[in-house]
Amino acid sequence: MKTLKIKDYVFLAIISALYMVIYFITAFSSSVLGPFGHNISPGVFGLVGGTIIYFVAKKLGKMWQFTLLTIIIMGLFTLMGGGYLPWWICSILTAFLADLIVSRSSDFTVWKLALAFAIMQVGQTGGSLIPVMFFVDSYRQEWISRGQSPEFMDASIAVSQGGYALLTILIVFTLSFIGIYLGHFILRKHFDNQNM
């Protein structure tokens, strides 16, 4: 198992900047669907950002690559005022799981990477679904105190329960899974040429 070196941390920091730009573009585009669009935004990002994750897995291919990438990204969100402990926990746990699935070897299969990334993105959306399931009142108050309107929070809570929550998980998982295959299709020739 290859260990991360200083240049790998720099690589992941640069990738994080690209990740954030694409994340904000996709989050803005999914916001037209209101609170439900916010819930599925990790999947919309996953469809596009799967190419980034595929690139990281092929170029770096080292244990803890996804966990470290997630820590950097969550740190950036926190610096921008978006940090939230349940979101951190869900994101880090699923990135850790993704590393266990894929990163122990640089020789991975595309379907394993697609599964790992889909789990990571479901973890991202779990940061809002899980609080609604277990401590909805404090979740609502927390985000109202951060500037969200009570109306938006009520609408967000309504589309984060029951069938909506299951639909959110299914959409996020599916879009992210497909995103890795798109990344594979886009970058396959690039990596094939490097191996020649």
Side-chain angles (χ1 to χ4, degrees):
M1 182 170 25
K2 297 185 282 185
T3 58
L4 291 165
K5 296 180 170 60
I6 296 294
K7 65 177 183 148
D8 300 327
Y9 291 94
V10 173
F11 170 74
L12 287 173
I14 293 167
I15 289 294
S16 297
L18 177 61
Y19 184 110
M20 293 295 285
V21 169
I22 293 172
Y23 191 93
F24 282 117
I25 292 169
T26 57
F28 179 75
S29 67
S30 63
S31 70
V32 298
L33 298 174
F36 186 70
H38 172 75
N39 282 358
I40 65 168
S41 65
V44 177
F45 168 79
L47 188 62
V48 178
T51 302
I52 295 173
I53 298 301
Y54 185 86
F55 183 76
V56 168
K58 289 292 278 187
K59 189 81 172 168
L60 192 56
K62 294 183 179 178
M63 190 62 180
W64 312 123
Q65 59 191 349
F66 300 135
T67 303
L68 182 58
L69 179 66
T70 300
I71 289 169
I72 294 168
I73 289 162
M74 293 306 296
L76 292 171
F77 277 121
T78 300
L79 288 173
M80 292 185 282
Y84 183 55
L85 186 58
W87 191 26
W88 267 91
I89 293 169
C90 291
S91 298
I92 299 297
L93 286 177
T94 53
F96 177 81
L97 182 57
D99 274 323
L100 291 178
I101 293 169
V102 172
S103 302
R104 290 180 288 177
S105 167
S106 58
D107 185 24
F108 62 86
T109 59
V110 178
W111 76 265
K112 274 191 178 180
L113 181 60
L115 174 65
F117 183 52
I119 289 169
M120 279 176 62
Q121 293 309 101
V122 168
Q124 287 279 316
T125 201
S128 59
L129 298 180
I130 289 174
V132 169
M133 290 169 44
F134 295 107
F135 42 91
V136 67
D137 292 333
S138 65
Y139 170 70
R140 182 179 184 276
Q141 283 308 119
E142 172 72 24
W143 287 99
I144 289 173
S145 72
R146 293 189 190 202
Q148 292 292 344
S149 70
E151 296 78 20
F152 178 85
M153 287 310 299
D154 290 339
S156 180
I157 289 164
V159 296
S160 299
Q161 298 174 338
Y164 277 115
L166 292 174
L167 182 61
T168 296
I169 291 167
L170 181 63
I171 290 171
V172 169
F173 186 94
T174 303
L175 290 176
S176 302
F177 196 92
I178 292 168
I180 291 296
Y181 277 92
L182 286 175
H184 173 67
F185 178 76
I186 292 167
L187 295 174
R188 181 180 55 206
K189 285 185 181 175
H190 168 76
F191 286 109
D192 285 347
N193 290 339
Q194 282 191 340
N195 293 331
M196 291 178 71

